[in-house]
Amino acid sequence: MARKSRYPENNKLVSVAKHSVRVGIYARLSEADGDDVVSDSILNQIAIANKYIEFCQNFVYVKTYIDDGYTGRNYNRPGFIEMMEDLRNGIINCVVVKDVSRIGRNYKEVGELLTKIFAEMGVRIVSINNDYDSINDEAGMPKVSLLIQTVFDDQVSLDISKNVKSTIDAKIHSGEYLPSSNSIPYGYLRAAQLNSYVVDKETADVVVKIYEMRSEGAKIAVITNKLNAEGIPSPGKLRYLRGFTTDEKYKDALWNRTTVRKMLTDICYIGHRVHGRKVKAGIDLPKTRTDRDSWIIIENA
């Protein structure tokens, strides 16, 4: 079953006049960026923004965009991407945030967004805690204190990211680290209280079925077709159904031979835990696959 949203049902588009200030609220939270999970919680950000909008007579609320668990170091976030698309289409023309760090923590990118991209698009940006409203900009330039704040947020994010990485590396080598639920191998569930995986009763039989068919000589293509024919949710679709991802590409994802082949060669199914299959070369760089020799294997975990 997909998880129900923990946030208010306030993403309903409304019909408003084109000349009005059509407002979108943007909220983002990432513990890896050093965000305070209490004061920076998604619900708190939305509440602060809604209260602000109530006191602006010409503001018309249209939509809320949420990125929960996404770093501010880049713009590869579904809520942000959706917001930018709505800005381009004229659905909204104003963005309200709790503070400028919600928009991002890379000062170069945030600076370009504020001084160039939003200005060229005619977008109004309000950062409540920074006491900033772009309508008051002189010659299209935000006040200096806001730009200084973006530099500070960037440095804080870098420092915290380095500390988080060091902590995770130490936990990995000691066998104490557990990845997020979305990264747990198919057939297992995350058991934080046990610092381990536990068998997922809903999918365990599927794993056994795959191995039994293969041991009986079935080709991987035959196994794949049978799983799809029986309507068994693929790992990607199961993550979508359980609410671990909202990416629509997984909504109807099917089993494929690559997935089955990986499962048949994954040492997690003989009790070992593997870390480091993919790593980042740097804080702002994407993850890339690594050679097996560089994996960290916790045997009999």
Side-chain angles (χ1 to χ4, degrees):
M1 296 294 290
R3 293 185 302 183
K4 292 184 178 180
S5 173
R6 295 180 289 127
Y7 311 120
E9 293 291 335
N10 58 357
N11 276 354
K12 308 300 182 183
L13 293 179
V14 295
S15 178
V16 295
K18 287 294 181 182
H19 64 272
S20 64
V21 180
R22 302 179 299 281
V23 182
I25 296 172
Y26 180 70
R28 182 190 64 79
L29 176 68
S30 172
E31 292 183 54
D33 281 350
D35 295 338
D36 187 319
V37 295
V38 177
S39 66
D40 288 329
S41 72
I42 297 295
L43 290 176
N44 191 48
Q45 292 178 54
I46 293 173
I48 291 173
N50 277 323
K51 187 174 182 179
Y52 180 89
I53 293 170
E54 288 178 6
F55 288 93
C56 299
Q57 294 182 350
N58 62 333
F59 277 21
V60 178
Y61 166 78
V62 177
K63 195 174 180 181
T64 294
Y65 307 87
I66 295 172
D67 282 319
D68 194 351
Y70 287 84
T71 180
R73 305 269 334 145
N74 59 64
Y75 292 138
N76 187 25
R77 315 170 221 146
F80 185 87
I81 293 171
E82 181 184 0
M83 179 185 74
M84 292 301 294
E85 188 66 21
D86 285 351
L87 284 168
R88 295 186 186 95
N89 292 330
I91 294 174
I92 61 172
N93 58 13
C94 176
V95 177
V96 174
V97 293
K98 171 179 172 282
D99 59 68
V100 71
S101 68
R102 301 307 92 204
I103 297 175
R105 286 184 179 270
N106 183 311
Y107 80 91
K108 291 182 180 179
E109 292 185 352
V110 174
E112 182 181 22
L113 190 69
L114 294 175
T115 61
K116 184 178 179 181
I117 299 175
F118 278 166
E120 291 178 352
M121 294 173 68
V123 172
R124 184 173 176 179
I125 176 75
V126 176
S127 180
I128 300 168
N129 285 5
N130 300 111
D131 191 27
Y132 171 74
D133 187 334
S134 62
I135 200 171
N136 300 317
D137 286 352
E138 295 183 8
M141 285 298 295
K143 59 183 183 179
V144 174
S145 61
L146 184 74
L147 297 177
I148 292 175
Q149 184 64 45
T150 64
V151 176
F152 175 77
D153 291 336
D154 189 356
Q155 188 59 52
V156 169
S157 177
L158 280 171
D159 291 343
I160 290 174
S161 294
K162 290 177 182 176
N163 290 337
V164 168
K165 184 178 185 302
S166 296
T167 300
I168 289 176
D169 286 346
K171 287 187 174 182
I172 286 176
H173 284 88
S174 67
E176 297 178 3
Y177 177 72
L178 279 181
S180 65
S181 296
N182 193 40
S183 299
I184 301 299
Y186 181 88
Y188 292 107
L189 293 174
R190 193 176 192 272
Q193 70 279 11
L194 300 176
N195 194 37
S196 186
Y197 305 160
V198 292
V199 173
D200 179 4
K201 295 180 180 179
E202 185 179 342
T203 59
D205 288 346
V206 179
V207 177
V208 174
K209 182 187 187 74
I210 291 171
Y211 272 85
E212 286 182 341
M213 290 183 67
R214 185 61 170 170
S215 70
E216 293 168 358
K219 294 183 178 180
I220 290 177
V222 172
I223 298 173
T224 303
N225 292 337
K226 185 172 181 60
L227 294 172
N228 287 325
E230 294 182 0
I232 298 172
S234 68
K237 183 174 182 177
L238 188 65
R239 287 196 297 272
Y240 182 87
L241 293 173
R242 289 178 171 177
F244 293 151
T245 179
T246 58
D247 194 328
E248 290 289 322
K249 71 180 182 181
Y250 294 112
K251 184 177 180 180
D252 298 309
L254 296 174
W255 287 91
N256 58 61
R257 284 177 289 181
T258 299
T259 299
V260 174
R261 186 179 292 108
K262 285 181 178 178
M263 287 181 61
L264 287 166
T265 58
D266 195 331
I267 60 175
C268 77
Y269 296 113
I270 56 173
H272 303 333
R273 191 185 306 167
V274 182
H275 300 290
R277 297 180 199 256
K278 289 184 178 181
V279 298
K280 286 185 177 182
I283 290 176
D284 291 329
L285 298 176
K287 287 186 176 181
T288 56
R289 292 193 177 277
T290 59
D291 295 330
R292 188 185 180 97
D293 292 341
S294 63
W295 293 357
I296 299 172
I297 301 174
I298 311 300
E299 296 186 351
N300 304 313

